[in-house]
Structure formats: C-alpha cells, structure tokens
Amino acid sequence: MLKLGRLFWKFFFFIWLAQLTAIAGISVTFWIKHSNEELTRSVAATGMNAGKPGQESTYGPDGPGPGPGPGFHHGEVPGKTPGDHGLQAMGQRKPPPDNGDMRALIPMTCALLASLLFAALMAWYMSKPIRQLSVALQAMACGKLQTRIGDSMGRRQDELTELGRDFDRMAEQLSGSLQSQRRLLHDVSHELRSPLARLQAAIGLARQQPDKAEEYMLRMDKEAVRMDKLVGEILTLSRLEAGTHAGQDLIHMDELFADLSDNAHFEAKTACKTFKTVFSEDEIHKVCVLGRYELLHRAMENVLRNAIRHTRPDTLVTLQAEVKEGQLHISVMDEGNGVPEAELQSIFQPFYRSALAEHGSEGYGLGLAITQRVIQAHGGSIQASNRPGTGLCMQMRLPIAFV
C-alpha cells in the first residue's frame, strides 16, 4: 500500500498554495480588465442608441386613428426597445446573452486541476528520495549493513542525490569498521590462545615434575611477558583507531633520530648486520614536529626493528631523512627479500604477516599497523615499496612545525 508521509503533504500543500495564489491573482486581473471593457462598451452603446426625442403620433399603423399612445416614438415597434430597433436599422442582430462568467470558469477549473496534478507530482519527486533514505536508515538500524540507496536515486543530480551518496559512503565505512572489529577480535583471541596454552602446559608440567619447577617458572614468565606485550599493543592500536590525539608537544627530530640510531646500531651489531644514517645533521637539527614523542618514537622504532630483523646477515639498513616542500621525508631501507607487490598495502593491517616473513617471528603483526596510525595521527603518511634489486623501502612523510 502506498504510504505518503507528512513531508509529502507539506510539499504538496505549499506548492499548491503557491499555484493557487498565482492563479487567483491572474484571474482577478483578467476579471477586472474584462469588467472595465464591458463597462466601456455599455457606455458607448448607450450613447449611440440615444437619438433625438421623437414626436408623439396620433396615427395608427393603417391611417388616422389612435396611435400606440404617448411615449411611443416614430419608427419603434411595440415590444422592442429603441436599441433593438437601432440595431435592426443598422442591419445587425441583437447579440446573444453575455455568458462571460461561465466561460471564465472553464480555464480556471482546468488550471486548478493542472496545478493539483503538478503539485502532487512535485511533492512526490521531492519526498521520494527522503522516504528512501528513511527506509534505508531503518534497515541499517536493524543490522542490514549491505543497504545502499545510490542506485535507486536514478539519474537525478541534486542535493538529495548527494545525500544518498553520502549515506552509501557512511554505510561502507561503518560496514568496514565493524568487519575490522570482528576480525580484530578473532585475531586477538587466536594470538592469545597460543601463549595461554603454553602457560597452562608449563603449569601442568611444573606440578608433575617439581624438581624442574624453576625451569617451568621461567617459561611461564616468558609467556606472561609476551601476553603483556600483546595486550599493550592491542590497547595502543585501539586508542589510535578511536582517534586519540597525537598531542601538541614540540619534537626535536635530531634528538629523536639520535635515540633511534643508538638503539638500531646496538640491535644490528648483535645480529651481525650494519646500520647507518644518511642525512644532514645541520638540517635535521633545525627540524621540529608537533605531536607526542613516545608515539612517534615507537612508530619509527617498529619500522627500524622490522628492517633489521628481515635484512640478510652482513647487509645494510639505512635511515635517510631530508626536508622537501615543508615536509620531512624519512626512508628506511633494508636488503632483505622484500614483500610481494600484492601485499604492500596489506602489511599495514592488524595481525597481518607477509608470506615471506620468517617463521617463528616473535611479532604479532601489529607493529606496522600501529606505525601507520601514529604517522596519520601526526598528519603524515607512510607507504611501502620494493627496492630495485632486493629489499624493502618504507617511506614516511611528516609535516614540519618550523625549521
């Protein structure tokens, strides 16, 4: 059953009222003009028919005798008015009765019906997309996240169509967000299951073999540390995805790079690898970025540690930085196996691990996801690309507060 909402009737009433007002104004104008023309013709006809006063005749129609009586003018026919006689004398017939008022009602009635139809069509055209949007919102509220209304708008190009497209974009983002949350929950439960299983196994073995309790206690401590690290990374990622502000602290990039380089040199040396920096100290000494030092330090450290972990033994990891067009361009390059081209965007997803990642890696696939969120929270961007030949290059851009 067709249901017309209140918005339809509002559109219908105001559109029809506007048309009725226009019709009434035009009708009154033509009525006044017609009345003035009728009055002018009446006055003119009266002046033409008013002749000189006739002589009263004492002769009848057949000769002497009593005439028609006083007040009868010569040439008049009894029962007819002087105007009728004048029109006959001029060879004209008496005009038919004036039905102008009835004729005027016909176009007014047609205009009224046409305005009624036009107002209904216009109200339907305006209220239909809003009614569709209301139905789609109700469907979304019931959990039908696949609801879209862009195609149902047809070819119309107006603000209501833009509203429909905005709804589709909102639905896409909402659906993606919910799917990400479900996937995150699944991945978290999967990642927690392994250390919990090992922890339970260590507890059981410690009970069965009290003489090796110290060894199993060390194993339980290690698993507890891994779980604590995982939970900490999940909380950090959750805060970043919830829109945690990066802060407005002034970060001196030379201090940040010095701290990162010191840690990277130590880790690379213990893994029989080499680390070096390529940037102008005088240029970086003047560069500052607004944000939070701890977050930015952790984000860039994740990239450096990944590069050191995946580069081959006796190869080089390079940290390069330069200022271009008001932005700080940072590149971290390694000489590992790189990443398949199809996975260059996926590596920034939570819990994603490349097919070429080393087996038995201690990571959970959250490091680059956290890095991307941190860089974006600081107004920057990050992208991964394979180097010509071999290795991976992570390029980061950060807006500079001042130089």
Side-chain angles (χ1 to χ4, degrees):
M1 180 179 179
L2 182 62
K3 182 179 180 181
L4 303 178
R6 287 178 292 179
L7 185 62
F8 170 85
W9 292 113
K10 289 180 180 179
F11 277 127
F12 175 80
F13 174 75
F14 285 110
I15 294 173
W16 194 35
L17 182 62
Q19 292 178 339
L20 286 179
T21 304
I23 292 173
I26 295 173
S27 300
V28 169
T29 301
F30 279 101
W31 179 79
I32 294 174
K33 182 179 179 181
H34 178 72
S35 298
N36 291 336
E37 291 176 352
E38 288 293 329
L39 181 61
T40 302
R41 285 197 297 267
S42 177
V43 173
T46 302
M48 292 176 60
N49 293 331
K52 294 180 181 181
Q55 300 293 328
E56 293 182 2
S57 175
T58 57
Y59 294 91
D62 298 327
F72 180 79
H73 296 87
H74 179 70
E76 293 181 357
V77 179
K80 294 187 177 182
T81 62
D84 296 338
H85 178 78
L87 290 173
Q88 290 179 358
M90 295 173 65
Q92 298 179 358
R93 294 182 179 182
K94 179 181 178 181
D98 188 7
N99 295 324
D101 294 338
M102 293 297 297
R103 289 196 301 270
L105 289 177
I106 297 176
M108 289 182 63
T109 303
C110 293
L112 185 64
L113 294 176
S115 68
L116 187 67
L117 178 61
F118 177 78
L121 292 175
M122 191 65 182
W124 174 265
Y125 179 79
M126 296 296 292
S127 62
K128 179 182 178 181
I130 300 178
R131 188 168 56 253
Q132 291 174 336
L133 182 61
S134 176
V135 173
L137 287 171
Q138 293 176 5
M140 287 284 290
C142 295
K144 298 179 181 178
L145 302 181
Q146 72 279 7
T147 303
R148 304 292 183 270
I149 62 173
D151 295 337
S152 63
M153 291 291 183
R155 297 182 178 180
R156 57 185 296 162
Q157 299 291 333
D158 52 23
E159 287 78 4
L160 293 175
T161 307
E162 290 297 324
L163 183 61
R165 296 195 183 104
D166 291 340
F167 172 85
D168 288 349
R169 285 192 290 269
M170 178 201 70
E172 288 286 350
Q173 293 178 358
L174 182 60
S175 177
S177 177
L178 290 177
Q179 290 178 2
S180 297
Q181 289 183 2
R182 292 167 182 164
R183 185 172 58 250
L184 179 62
L185 182 60
H186 174 269
D187 293 338
V188 168
S189 62
H190 176 74
E191 293 294 338
L192 285 175
R193 187 179 295 115
S194 297
L196 282 174
R198 290 192 293 266
L199 189 61
Q200 290 175 347
I203 293 174
L205 290 173
R207 289 175 177 174
Q208 294 175 8
Q209 303 175 7
D211 55 325
K212 296 183 179 180
E214 186 66 26
E215 178 184 349
Y216 296 131
M217 287 291 292
L218 293 176
R219 182 68 183 183
M220 286 187 284
D221 182 67
K222 180 180 179 180
E223 297 300 333
V225 170
R226 287 172 59 87
M227 291 177 60
D228 180 70
K229 179 183 177 182
L230 174 60
V231 172
E233 290 184 347
I234 292 172
L235 290 175
T236 301
L237 182 64
S238 177
R239 295 191 190 100
L240 291 171
E241 290 187 338
T244 300
H245 197 270
Q248 293 294 317
D249 297 336
L250 196 62
I251 303 173
H252 296 273
M253 296 306 295
D254 57 340
E255 297 179 3
L256 180 62
F257 283 158
D259 193 8
L260 290 171
S261 299
D262 184 60
N263 295 336
H265 275 297
F266 177 77
E267 291 189 22
K269 185 178 180 179
T270 56
C272 299
K273 301 171 184 179
T274 307
F275 174 80
K276 75 171 184 177
T277 58
V278 180
F279 55 79
S280 171
E281 294 185 1
D282 292 336
E283 182 181 42
I284 299 301
H285 178 71
K286 303 175 183 178
V287 176
C288 292
V289 173
L290 290 178
R292 289 178 58 184
Y293 184 92
E294 296 80 6
L295 283 178
L296 198 57
H297 182 281
R298 181 172 185 177
M300 297 185 64
E301 188 176 47
N302 286 337
V303 177
L304 287 172
R305 295 187 70 182
N306 276 345
I308 294 172
R309 182 184 304 117
H310 295 293
T311 195
R312 295 189 300 272
D314 301 322
T315 56
L316 182 66
V317 174
T318 305
L319 171 62
Q320 181 178 341
E322 58 181 337
V323 176
K324 290 182 180 180
E325 300 177 353
Q327 289 185 324
L328 179 61
H329 292 238
I330 306 170
S331 299
V332 177
M333 297 168 284
D334 63 54
E335 298 180 12
N337 296 322
V339 175
E341 292 292 332
E343 300 181 12
L344 288 176
Q345 296 297 326
S346 302
I347 59 176
F348 296 105
Q349 296 177 3
F351 296 103
Y352 185 86
R353 299 179 189 178
S354 173
L356 298 180
E358 297 180 3
H359 296 289
S361 175
E362 295 183 356
Y364 293 99
L366 291 173
L368 289 180
I370 293 174
T371 296
Q372 185 186 52
R373 272 64 167 186
V374 170
I375 296 297
Q376 291 175 348
H378 285 77
S381 62
I382 181 173
Q383 62 179 5
S385 61
N386 287 311
R387 300 176 63 190
T390 183
L392 185 70
C393 177
M394 302 292 293
Q395 297 175 323
M396 294 165 279
R397 297 182 181 181
L398 290 170
I400 296 176
F402 62 87
V403 179

